[in-house]
Amino acid sequence: MALGAILLSQGLVTNEQLDHATREQSRAGERLEHTLARLGFASTEQVMRALAEELAMPFVRLDETEIDEEAVRAVPPRLVFKLRAIPVRIEGGRLVVATSDPLRLDAFDQLRMAAGMPVSLVVAEDEDIGIQIRNRFGVAGDVLEALGAGDAAPADAKAESSEGDNASEASVVRLVNDLLFEAIRERATDIHIEPYETELHVRYRIDGIMSDAGVPPTIHRFRNAIVSRLKIMANLNIAEKRRPQDGRITLKQRVPGQKLQEFDLRLSVIPMLYGEGIVLRILSKSAVLVGLDELGMPEKIRLRWFDLVSRPHGIVLVTGPTGSGKSTTLYASLKQIVTGEVKAITVEDPVEYHVSGVNQIQVNHQVGLDFAAGLRAILRHDPDIIMIGEIRDAETANAAVQASLTGHLVLSTMHTNDSCGAATRLLDMGVEPFLVASTVEGVLAQRLLRRVCRSCSVARAPRDGELPPDFYPGEDGLVAESVGCRDCRGSGFRGRIGCYELLVVDELSRAEIMKRASSRAVEAAARIGSNLTALRESSAELVARRVTTASEALAAVKTA
């Protein structure tokens, strides 16, 4: 029986649902269970359990099953990759193998002949099998196995010479694609490819934390081919190895169970001691822009922030370290305030997301179009709202001040540790104190904290000394603990949420700015008028709501 017929016979889907899923599967080129899950008709686990029941085979969750390494070694890696099946154990003289496609009868014979013993099949989810294969053989292990299948010396020489030709070969193309697609599957925001004398490290930044991609050690033999392939994809000069280069790659990828998405990869190549290092920033062009309500702001902060960005003129800033979500907050704010009655123009480096109804300008340093030049040009286009990607020098700062004085609302970002430090930073750039005091309306400082995984987190009583004096558990006296499961790659965390500090500039804080007072003096003045909500207060609230753990919150705000 075909899989669709089995699902119909067990009543898991209707004829209409199966017909719809079959057409969609054919168009998308994916497995039927992934299509059914994406359409919401049945989960992949339900489909695999139904298939196992029909064939009288056991269903297993591989993340809950101990896998015998002797059994894994009983089958050549190339066969594991080819059949996408992972040996689990040797039991009673038989090799037990997990597969997501037990209807493929030829797999029995190939596995039996390779292992030299009878084979029994158990059913598992395809995603589970993929995770186990990557854990044991590494990301792109099948491609590296094929590349290294021949004589080692010619393969090594080929990787080191004729780079342009080698990078265009199907095997290297697939190797690079596997590295990129795995990063997307793991929700990575950055890919780091780092050359060393005898190694090539590939790491992903996931939820703000660097983690090893798990590539086999043999990947270092193909470092030049990987760099060349990425340069070709980004339309860069593959012969130039002495200077830094920047480019971009557009990629389409379907994550299992999700719609086809388009990704924009920003690539940076820098010559290093043992070769060229590469960092790719991954931006989803298909991602839906979130609104202010979805950022996780406490209601008190959200209402006061909306009041700030709704003002007719002045400067409103978002501060924080790189990767803290500043641009996302500004995009959400624009989405909230831009209507057909106002004109909004942005100058960004780079333009990360496209906002409907907003005119967006891409910085181009090669032709002299930087933030300051773009801002001067913007003023001739009669905007109501101006967004500057970042205020990083005196020229841009002064231009932003002049724009706000002439009746424009200016939104921008800065790199400061807290909200009160933004005024000091502008003064350091050479902006006059009376101009800073009269134009800056408010500053939002933010961090991103990792959320505890909803699939595995547990609630428990706080341990002695776990919570500092200004932190507190929830109303039931419990806090969250991260455990680790398949969904979060064992980290205990999945996704991130914003933690915010909002300074609304009032008369007391303006007086301190006029005196060139320190950021601490500005903070003290703002607290008198209850116009400052601190990062620690926001992080304490997230701990009480069991959104994150105390250790995660303290690690993010300890320097704030």
Short mmCIF file of all heavy atoms in Angstrom, two decimals, residues 444-479:
data_model
loop_
_atom_site.label_atom_id
_atom_site.label_comp_id
_atom_site.label_asym_id
_atom_site.label_seq_id
_atom_site.Cartn_x
_atom_site.Cartn_y
_atom_site.Cartn_z
N LEU A 444 15.51 54.07 24.12
CA LEU A 444 15.17 52.70 24.49
C LEU A 444 16.44 51.85 24.40
O LEU A 444 17.03 51.72 23.33
CB LEU A 444 14.10 52.14 23.55
CG LEU A 444 13.59 50.74 23.86
CD1 LEU A 444 12.65 50.76 25.06
CD2 LEU A 444 12.87 50.14 22.65
N ALA A 445 16.87 51.29 25.53
CA ALA A 445 18.00 50.35 25.53
C ALA A 445 17.43 48.94 25.58
O ALA A 445 16.42 48.69 26.24
CB ALA A 445 18.91 50.60 26.72
N GLN A 446 18.06 48.00 24.89
CA GLN A 446 17.51 46.65 24.88
C GLN A 446 18.57 45.58 24.78
O GLN A 446 19.70 45.81 24.35
CB GLN A 446 16.49 46.49 23.76
CG GLN A 446 17.04 46.57 22.35
CD GLN A 446 15.91 46.41 21.32
OE1 GLN A 446 15.07 47.28 21.15
NE2 GLN A 446 15.90 45.27 20.64
N ARG A 447 18.20 44.39 25.23
CA ARG A 447 18.98 43.17 25.09
C ARG A 447 18.04 42.07 24.62
O ARG A 447 16.82 42.20 24.72
CB ARG A 447 19.60 42.74 26.43
CG ARG A 447 20.48 43.76 27.11
CD ARG A 447 21.81 43.93 26.36
NE ARG A 447 22.72 44.77 27.14
CZ ARG A 447 22.74 46.10 27.08
NH1 ARG A 447 21.89 46.73 26.29
NH2 ARG A 447 23.60 46.79 27.81
N LEU A 448 18.62 40.98 24.13
CA LEU A 448 17.82 39.81 23.78
C LEU A 448 18.18 38.68 24.74
O LEU A 448 19.35 38.31 24.87
CB LEU A 448 18.08 39.38 22.34
CG LEU A 448 17.52 40.30 21.25
CD1 LEU A 448 17.86 39.77 19.87
CD2 LEU A 448 16.00 40.45 21.38
N LEU A 449 17.18 38.13 25.42
CA LEU A 449 17.37 37.02 26.34
C LEU A 449 16.82 35.75 25.70
O LEU A 449 15.79 35.77 25.03
CB LEU A 449 16.64 37.26 27.66
CG LEU A 449 16.91 38.58 28.40
CD1 LEU A 449 16.19 38.58 29.73
CD2 LEU A 449 18.39 38.79 28.59
N ARG A 450 17.50 34.65 25.92
CA ARG A 450 17.02 33.37 25.39
C ARG A 450 15.79 32.91 26.17
O ARG A 450 15.76 32.94 27.40
CB ARG A 450 18.11 32.31 25.47
CG ARG A 450 19.26 32.54 24.51
CD ARG A 450 20.24 31.39 24.55
NE ARG A 450 20.89 31.28 25.85
CZ ARG A 450 21.62 30.24 26.22
NH1 ARG A 450 21.78 29.21 25.41
NH2 ARG A 450 22.19 30.22 27.42
N ARG A 451 14.77 32.47 25.43
CA ARG A 451 13.57 31.91 26.04
C ARG A 451 13.83 30.45 26.44
O ARG A 451 14.50 29.71 25.70
CB ARG A 451 12.40 31.91 25.06
CG ARG A 451 11.82 33.25 24.68
CD ARG A 451 10.75 33.03 23.64
NE ARG A 451 10.07 34.25 23.23
CZ ARG A 451 8.93 34.69 23.77
NH1 ARG A 451 8.35 33.99 24.73
NH2 ARG A 451 8.38 35.81 23.34
N VAL A 452 13.28 30.02 27.56
CA VAL A 452 13.36 28.61 27.88
C VAL A 452 12.51 27.84 26.87
O VAL A 452 11.48 28.33 26.40
CB VAL A 452 12.88 28.32 29.32
CG1 VAL A 452 13.85 28.87 30.35
CG2 VAL A 452 11.49 28.87 29.57
N CYS A 453 12.95 26.65 26.53
CA CYS A 453 12.23 25.83 25.55
C CYS A 453 10.89 25.41 26.12
O CYS A 453 10.82 24.85 27.23
CB CYS A 453 13.08 24.61 25.19
SG CYS A 453 12.27 23.46 24.06
N ARG A 454 9.84 25.64 25.39
CA ARG A 454 8.50 25.30 25.87
C ARG A 454 8.27 23.81 25.92
O ARG A 454 7.39 23.33 26.63
CB ARG A 454 7.45 25.96 24.97
CG ARG A 454 7.47 27.49 25.00
CD ARG A 454 6.43 28.08 24.09
NE ARG A 454 6.45 29.54 24.12
CZ ARG A 454 5.66 30.31 23.39
NH1 ARG A 454 4.79 29.76 22.56
NH2 ARG A 454 5.75 31.63 23.48
N SER A 455 9.06 23.05 25.16
CA SER A 455 8.86 21.60 25.10
C SER A 455 9.44 20.88 26.31
O SER A 455 8.97 19.79 26.67
CB SER A 455 9.47 21.02 23.83
OG SER A 455 8.90 21.60 22.68
N CYS A 456 10.46 21.47 26.95
CA CYS A 456 11.15 20.70 28.00
C CYS A 456 11.35 21.46 29.31
O CYS A 456 11.82 20.88 30.29
CB CYS A 456 12.50 20.21 27.49
SG CYS A 456 13.68 21.54 27.09
N SER A 457 11.04 22.76 29.36
CA SER A 457 11.29 23.51 30.59
C SER A 457 10.36 23.04 31.70
O SER A 457 9.23 22.60 31.45
CB SER A 457 11.11 25.01 30.35
OG SER A 457 9.76 25.32 30.09
N VAL A 458 10.83 23.15 32.93
CA VAL A 458 10.04 22.75 34.09
C VAL A 458 10.04 23.90 35.10
O VAL A 458 10.93 24.75 35.09
CB VAL A 458 10.60 21.47 34.76
CG1 VAL A 458 10.50 20.29 33.81
CG2 VAL A 458 12.04 21.68 35.21
N ALA A 459 9.02 23.94 35.92
CA ALA A 459 8.93 24.95 36.98
C ALA A 459 9.36 24.32 38.30
O ALA A 459 9.01 23.18 38.60
CB ALA A 459 7.50 25.47 37.09
N ARG A 460 10.14 25.07 39.07
CA ARG A 460 10.63 24.56 40.37
C ARG A 460 10.83 25.74 41.31
O ARG A 460 10.82 26.90 40.91
CB ARG A 460 11.95 23.81 40.19
CG ARG A 460 13.04 24.65 39.57
CD ARG A 460 14.40 24.03 39.78
NE ARG A 460 15.45 24.77 39.09
CZ ARG A 460 16.00 25.89 39.54
NH1 ARG A 460 15.59 26.43 40.69
NH2 ARG A 460 16.95 26.52 38.86
N ALA A 461 11.01 25.40 42.58
CA ALA A 461 11.28 26.43 43.58
C ALA A 461 12.70 26.94 43.40
O ALA A 461 13.61 26.16 43.07
CB ALA A 461 11.09 25.87 44.98
N PRO A 462 12.95 28.24 43.57
CA PRO A 462 14.31 28.77 43.41
C PRO A 462 15.25 28.22 44.48
O PRO A 462 14.85 28.00 45.63
CB PRO A 462 14.13 30.28 43.55
CG PRO A 462 12.82 30.46 44.27
CD PRO A 462 11.97 29.29 43.89
N ARG A 463 16.50 27.99 44.10
CA ARG A 463 17.51 27.51 45.04
C ARG A 463 18.02 28.67 45.88
O ARG A 463 17.89 29.83 45.51
CB ARG A 463 18.67 26.85 44.28
CG ARG A 463 18.25 25.69 43.39
CD ARG A 463 19.46 25.01 42.80
NE ARG A 463 19.07 23.91 41.91
CZ ARG A 463 18.96 24.02 40.60
NH1 ARG A 463 19.23 25.19 40.01
NH2 ARG A 463 18.60 23.00 39.85
N ASP A 464 18.64 28.34 47.00
CA ASP A 464 19.20 29.37 47.87
C ASP A 464 20.25 30.19 47.12
O ASP A 464 21.18 29.63 46.53
CB ASP A 464 19.85 28.72 49.11
CG ASP A 464 18.81 28.12 50.05
OD1 ASP A 464 17.64 28.52 49.94
OD2 ASP A 464 19.18 27.26 50.87
N GLY A 465 20.09 31.50 47.14
CA GLY A 465 21.06 32.38 46.51
C GLY A 465 20.94 32.49 45.01
O GLY A 465 21.73 33.18 44.36
N GLU A 466 19.95 31.79 44.41
CA GLU A 466 19.81 31.82 42.94
C GLU A 466 19.30 33.17 42.46
O GLU A 466 19.73 33.67 41.42
CB GLU A 466 18.85 30.72 42.50
CG GLU A 466 18.66 30.66 40.98
CD GLU A 466 17.73 29.54 40.56
OE1 GLU A 466 17.19 28.85 41.44
OE2 GLU A 466 17.55 29.36 39.34
N LEU A 467 18.38 33.78 43.22
CA LEU A 467 17.79 35.06 42.83
C LEU A 467 18.42 36.19 43.63
O LEU A 467 18.45 36.13 44.87
CB LEU A 467 16.28 35.05 43.06
CG LEU A 467 15.46 34.02 42.28
CD1 LEU A 467 13.99 34.14 42.65
CD2 LEU A 467 15.64 34.18 40.78
N PRO A 468 18.93 37.23 42.95
CA PRO A 468 19.44 38.40 43.69
C PRO A 468 18.28 39.11 44.37
O PRO A 468 17.11 38.85 44.07
CB PRO A 468 20.06 39.26 42.59
CG PRO A 468 19.43 38.81 41.33
CD PRO A 468 19.08 37.37 41.49
N PRO A 469 18.58 40.05 45.28
CA PRO A 469 17.51 40.70 46.06
C PRO A 469 16.44 41.39 45.22
O PRO A 469 15.28 41.46 45.65
CB PRO A 469 18.28 41.72 46.91
CG PRO A 469 19.66 41.15 47.02
CD PRO A 469 19.92 40.45 45.73
N ASP A 470 16.81 41.92 44.04
CA ASP A 470 15.82 42.63 43.25
C ASP A 470 15.08 41.73 42.25
O ASP A 470 14.29 42.22 41.44
CB ASP A 470 16.48 43.80 42.50
CG ASP A 470 17.65 43.35 41.63
OD1 ASP A 470 18.21 42.28 41.92
OD2 ASP A 470 18.01 44.08 40.69
N PHE A 471 15.33 40.41 42.30
CA PHE A 471 14.59 39.45 41.47
C PHE A 471 13.58 38.72 42.35
O PHE A 471 13.74 38.66 43.58
CB PHE A 471 15.54 38.45 40.82
CG PHE A 471 16.18 38.95 39.55
CD1 PHE A 471 16.86 40.17 39.52
CD2 PHE A 471 16.14 38.21 38.39
CE1 PHE A 471 17.45 40.64 38.36
CE2 PHE A 471 16.73 38.66 37.22
CZ PHE A 471 17.39 39.88 37.20
N TYR A 472 12.58 38.12 41.71
CA TYR A 472 11.53 37.46 42.48
C TYR A 472 10.91 36.36 41.63
O TYR A 472 10.88 36.45 40.40
CB TYR A 472 10.46 38.47 42.90
CG TYR A 472 9.97 39.35 41.78
CD1 TYR A 472 8.85 39.01 41.02
CD2 TYR A 472 10.65 40.53 41.45
CE1 TYR A 472 8.42 39.81 39.98
CE2 TYR A 472 10.21 41.35 40.40
CZ TYR A 472 9.10 40.98 39.68
OH TYR A 472 8.68 41.77 38.65
N PRO A 473 10.41 35.29 42.27
CA PRO A 473 9.74 34.23 41.51
C PRO A 473 8.33 34.65 41.12
O PRO A 473 7.87 35.76 41.44
CB PRO A 473 9.72 33.06 42.51
CG PRO A 473 9.69 33.73 43.84
CD PRO A 473 10.49 35.01 43.69
N GLY A 474 7.62 33.77 40.42
CA GLY A 474 6.25 34.05 40.04
C GLY A 474 5.32 34.01 41.24
O GLY A 474 5.73 33.72 42.38
N GLU A 475 4.04 34.27 41.00
CA GLU A 475 3.07 34.30 42.09
C GLU A 475 2.98 32.97 42.82
O GLU A 475 2.64 32.93 44.00
CB GLU A 475 1.69 34.70 41.55
CG GLU A 475 1.62 36.14 41.04
CD GLU A 475 0.24 36.50 40.53
OE1 GLU A 475 -0.65 35.60 40.55
OE2 GLU A 475 0.03 37.66 40.14
N ASP A 476 3.28 31.88 42.10
CA ASP A 476 3.24 30.56 42.74
C ASP A 476 4.57 30.20 43.40
O ASP A 476 4.74 29.08 43.89
CB ASP A 476 2.87 29.49 41.71
CG ASP A 476 3.78 29.51 40.47
OD1 ASP A 476 4.76 30.29 40.47
OD2 ASP A 476 3.50 28.76 39.53
N GLY A 477 5.52 31.15 43.41
CA GLY A 477 6.79 30.91 44.08
C GLY A 477 7.77 30.07 43.29
O GLY A 477 8.78 29.60 43.84
N LEU A 478 7.53 29.88 41.99
CA LEU A 478 8.37 29.01 41.17
C LEU A 478 9.11 29.80 40.09
O LEU A 478 8.69 30.90 39.71
CB LEU A 478 7.51 27.92 40.50
CG LEU A 478 6.69 27.03 41.43
CD1 LEU A 478 5.87 26.04 40.61
CD2 LEU A 478 7.58 26.30 42.43
N VAL A 479 10.22 29.22 39.62
CA VAL A 479 10.98 29.78 38.51
C VAL A 479 11.16 28.70 37.45
O VAL A 479 10.91 27.52 37.71
CB VAL A 479 12.36 30.30 38.97
CG1 VAL A 479 12.22 31.47 39.92
CG2 VAL A 479 13.19 29.18 39.60
#
